[in-house]
Amino acid sequence: MVSLTIVTGNQHKLSELNAILDGLVVLHPVNLDLHEIQGTVEEITREKCRLAAETTGGPVLVEDSALEMHALNGLPGPYVKAFVDSIGNDGLCKLLASFSDNTAEAVCTLGYSPRPGAEPILFQGRLLGRIVPARGVSAFGWEPIFEHGGETLAEMDVDKKNRLSHRFKAAQKLSEWLQRNEMT
């Protein structure tokens, strides 16, 4: 069994990843306040992973989530938390009100680094859906407005969500990689 430090202060994210990885990896959370650069979700995750590996000594896992609205050319993207904090889910819905396209992608990018100085490896999962008025309750900010298959992520049964979500898809790629590669 592989043991990894995961940089997160979000217990819900940790629980979800533990359920998805199902014992393949033992995750040890550490809550670090890492500086985040401006950029794409991939650039942000890669840099956050580098900083985390330097701080913890590696091996380390980081996660970054994004919400890309197609009508807004991918905004708010990796800055969705700031958008939710400032305008809320209702505000995000209002941003799309004048557009006919309400499709969006939920994006989870996991970054893994075995040690300081190693180039981070990224594992990304995407889930296509659409933005709708809020339904359901979730520990994750924008899940009540992201609908896939007729249900918002907040309305879904946890097991169902953990078998199809953007986080599941990224964690599945990480899991497959870990099973094929030694942790060096």
Side-chain angles (χ1 to χ4, degrees), residues 5-9 29-35 48 51-56 60 62:
T5 297
I6 181 167
V7 177
T8 186
V30 61
N31 189 4
L32 298 175
D33 187 20
L34 299 172
H35 173 74
K48 190 178 355 178
L51 290 171
E54 288 174 16
T55 304
T56 66
V60 68
V62 299

Side-chain angles (χ1 to χ4, degrees), residues 7-8 10 12-14 16-17 36 39-42 44-45 48 62-68 74-84 105-111 123-126 140-143 153 161 165-168 170:
V7 177
T8 186
N10 186 326
H12 301 289
K13 194 177 287 187
L14 179 65
E16 201 168 283
L17 281 168
E36 285 195 22
T40 66
V41 69
E42 295 85 4
I44 293 167
T45 305
K48 190 178 355 178
V62 299
E63 189 267 3
D64 208 81
S65 293
L67 180 63
E68 298 178 351
L75 288 174
Y79 309 109
V80 67
K81 183 180 181 321
F83 275 66
V84 171
E105 286 184 80
V107 183
C108 174
T109 306
L110 295 172
F123 306 91
Q124 191 171 84
R126 291 178 168 268
F140 299 103
W142 47 267
E143 286 190 350
L153 291 178
K161 180 181 146 193
S165 74
H166 54 304
R167 191 166 286 114
F168 166 77

Side-chain angles (χ1 to χ4, degrees), residues 134-154:
R135 299 192 317 259
V137 177
S138 174
F140 299 103
W142 47 267
E143 286 190 350
I145 64 167
F146 185 86
E147 182 185 80
H148 175 82
E151 291 178 284
T152 66
L153 291 178

